[in-house]
Amino acid sequence: MKFGPGPRGYLGTIGQYALGSGASFGFFMMIGSCIRTDDSVLSAEDRATLRAGMERWRVPVSPMAYYFAQNAKAQPK
């Protein structure tokens, strides 16, 4: 503290520094926790929840769109 505590005083300056450091630590800890708990193996309950969510937002496809998609795959370019 070369130039003194500033307008907030010693306690306010140290408190601001501690709060900023704690917020940064919490942010990076959150990212690390998300990375560590992200596994590719889903439980049966997770699969059922995912399937239900996908069914909820599924867009109905017309039979003609399905027909054209199948024929496009069968024809060589």
Side-chain angles (χ1 to χ4, degrees):
M1 299 205 166
K2 188 175 181 180
F3 299 107
R8 287 183 301 277
Y10 286 109
L11 190 59
T13 303
I14 291 174
Q16 182 183 12
Y17 177 77
L19 197 62
S21 296
S24 297
F25 175 76
F27 176 73
F28 288 111
M29 195 64 131
M30 176 189 66
I31 291 174
S33 296
C34 290
I35 291 171
R36 284 189 57 87
T37 58
D38 184 32
D39 55 353
S40 60
V41 180
L42 295 175
S43 67
E45 183 181 352
D46 291 338
R47 282 194 302 273
T49 303
L50 183 60
R51 193 174 304 118
M54 290 172 65
E55 287 293 322
R56 178 178 181 194
W57 295 105
R58 187 165 68 164
V59 177
V61 178
S62 69
M64 288 303 280
Y66 179 76
Y67 173 78
F68 286 125
Q70 291 301 316
N71 286 338
K73 290 179 187 175
Q75 294 177 358
K77 292 183 179 182

